[in-house]
Amino acid sequence: MDRIKNAIINGKTALGIELGSTRIKGTLIDLETCAPIASGGHSWENRFEDGIWTYHMEDVWEGIPACYAALAKNVAELYGVELTTIGAIGISAMMHGYLVFDENDRQLAPFRTWRNTITEKSSAELTALFNHNIPQRWAISHLYHSILNKEEHVKEITFMTTLAGYVHWKLTGEKVLGMNDASGMFPIDDKTMNYDTARAALFDQKLSDAGLPFNLLSVLPKAIIAGNEAGRLTKEGALLLDPTGKLQPGIPFCPPEGDGGTGMVATNSTKPNTGNVSAGTSVFLQAVLEKNLSKVYPEIDMITTPDGKPVAMVHCTNCTCELDAWVKLVKEALAEFGVTPDTNSVYVTLYNKALSGDKDCGGILAYNYLSGEHITEIMEGRPLLVRTPESRFNLANFMRAQLYASIATLNIGMNILFEQENLHLSNVMGHGGLFKGQDVGQRVMAASLNTPVTVMETAGEGGSWGIALLAGYLLKANGRTLDEYLDQDVFADCATSTIEPDPADAKGYADFMKNYVPGLEVEKAAVAALSLK
């Protein structure tokens, strides 16, 4: 306790702040052990306004200082000292989306998050132009969408960034991004470790008649490899983070990163042939490759690790939100009977009940589409429960179907890599809400991927710990690679739990998917027939 107290006083710490989809979380780590020593958080929610999933920037600047204040309070309560300095800081956030500003730093359009599926045409055209998959949620897709729609704000753009890049900019004054987050804005050239200039030139040439006052590379943030300093906390930034004025400026920052990159770091999955899967509000699996894929797949994103290695990513917009809604409904029903269990016990009971269900869910199908999914070419969400009169409809099969559905779209994308690219992953590291507190999520994921799934004891720490580790790497690299730092300083003694896929579960999941894929026609019909209004 005394050693940690002295580390806090002397700035032998690193702070990571991640803006997740429902929570802004801060994690302070001890540089010597890389272990979390304090944390704080603030809940927030996205908004659906005028057909756009968004967050207001006012919400950002309410949430960031609230998160920091909670962390500083945690430090004071645990160690009896004030937090006035930190060794290094890192900012992370949900990847992708669209944030654009003019020459006076005025925001020009509402923030469009990763959750939007409005850029189908621009995504398809750019994929063909670049011969590189450009997902709908990437910044370049949103920019091109705005250009095609002749939106007035486009001609005023002087800077485009991500949510992490925006917060970092306001705290440091630097318009930069980490490699992983940058690779979700525009393709990265793995030879130069920078934006692909040839593809940028193709974009500029295609739009030469559009009368734009900028070329693409001039409005993108500078891409920086992990381990390099990306700016320092300014006086203005220090007051944004800590309005009490106790936190001192001058603290170095690592490059701001996306939640994909922090997920890789938090699971020690930055080496070739390693993979990690994050399952919470959304679900994505990232496999670090030895070489690029043989061809372009519209279902597979090509991004990078924070140190620039190629990564194949299957990203699905929906995961546990519909599952969470049903758990809340069950809890509400129990309350009507005078039973008020805590939320965690409801989850544990229902998840474990699912394990006693039929391996194929008894003919029950569930679709968790609160919003659209590009992999299945469904542009809007309509959550559904579908069964035939012969389906074995009971609580166990119902819950098993909800769990299966939460990662069904991921299964579709991963099968492309397994079957067409002969990808082999000896193990996948799991993290996120689906894996918290019990092994049910692990079992379901192992069955879906037919691959062992490992969860570390640190799985609950998430992206804020991952970006804190990248901030720590800034101070502790000492000529080592990111892989060496993680192996030697962070995960050398980390406890893990691995679940092998049960053959019967894997067959049951495959049987479920034989019905799920044709049943997508029902989902499409629901989108066509049922208005959002």
Side-chain angles (χ1 to χ4, degrees), residues 126-156:
L126 291 178
T127 295
L129 177 67
F130 297 148
N131 191 31
H132 184 106
N133 184 34
I134 304 297
Q136 290 193 44
R137 64 188 181 281
W138 278 24
I140 189 64
S141 287
H142 283 280
L143 174 62
Y144 189 44
H145 172 82
S146 298
I147 294 169
L148 291 178
N149 282 357
K150 295 181 168 45
E151 296 181 29
E152 286 295 322
H153 75 267
V154 170
K155 293 183 178 180
E156 299 181 66

Side-chain angles (χ1 to χ4, degrees), residues 472-527:
Y473 178 53
L474 172 64
L475 301 176
K476 298 182 68 180
N478 296 323
R480 294 179 295 171
T481 66
L482 178 60
D483 297 340
E484 290 169 339
Y485 160 71
L486 294 175
D487 283 342
Q488 295 167 8
D489 289 16
V490 183
F491 295 104
D493 301 312
C494 184
T496 62
S497 170
T498 300
I499 289 182
E500 300 282 338
D502 178 88
D505 286 344
K507 181 181 183 304
Y509 200 97
D511 289 341
F512 171 82
M513 291 302 297
K514 288 177 183 176
N515 291 322
Y516 182 93
V517 173
L520 285 165
E521 293 301 320
V522 182
E523 178 71 22
K524 292 176 182 177
V527 172

Side-chain angles (χ1 to χ4, degrees), residues 152-361:
E152 286 295 322
H153 75 267
V154 170
K155 293 183 178 180
E156 299 181 66
I157 294 173
T158 60
F159 180 47
M160 179 169 68
T161 190
T162 66
L163 183 57
Y166 164 75
V167 174
H168 180 96
W169 168 40
K170 292 301 181 182
L171 296 179
T172 68
E174 299 293 334
K175 297 179 177 180
V176 299
L177 274 187
M179 290 295 293
N180 169 255
D181 212 8
S183 70
M185 291 195 77
F186 193 78
I188 295 292
D189 184 334
D190 58 6
K191 296 181 178 62
T192 65
M193 293 294 178
N194 211 326
Y195 299 113
D196 190 316
T197 55
R199 288 186 169 108
L202 284 174
F203 183 84
D204 290 336
Q205 182 180 357
K206 184 176 180 65
L207 296 171
S208 58
D209 296 331
L212 300 180
F214 60 82
N215 63 67
L216 180 62
L217 294 180
S218 72
V219 300
L220 293 177
K222 180 182 178 182
I224 303 181
I225 296 175
N228 292 289
E229 185 176 313
R232 290 184 173 250
L233 185 66
T234 63
K235 291 181 180 179
E236 297 81 5
L239 288 173
L240 280 174
L241 193 55
D242 178 22
T244 70
K246 294 174 182 176
L247 183 65
Q248 299 304 301
I251 298 168
F253 275 63
C254 70
E257 272 297 5
D259 52 358
T262 59
M264 297 176 206
V265 171
T267 56
N268 197 19
S269 302
T270 58
K271 295 181 285 295
N273 299 317
T274 61
N276 78 93
V277 59
S278 172
T281 301
S282 62
V283 60
F284 55 84
L285 190 147
Q286 303 172 115
V288 185
L289 306 176
E290 292 184 323
K291 59 182 180 179
N292 286 314
L293 299 179
S294 64
K295 66 177 187 177
V296 175
Y297 299 94
E299 302 88 352
I300 311 297
D301 304 359
M302 287 303 300
I303 56 172
T304 75
T305 62
D307 57 346
K309 301 186 195 77
V311 174
M313 179 183 190
V314 178
H315 186 286
C316 307
T317 307
N318 302 281
C319 186
T320 60
C321 285
E322 178 67 358
L323 179 61
D324 293 341
W326 283 107
V327 172
K328 290 177 183 177
L329 186 70
V330 170
K331 186 179 179 184
E332 182 182 345
L334 289 171
E336 290 297 316
F337 290 95
V339 181
T340 55
D342 67 272
T343 300
N344 185 63
S345 68
V346 178
Y347 273 99
V348 170
T349 300
L350 292 177
Y351 275 36
N352 282 315
K353 184 65 177 177
L355 295 181
S356 66
D358 295 323
K359 302 296 186 184
D360 65 352
C361 306

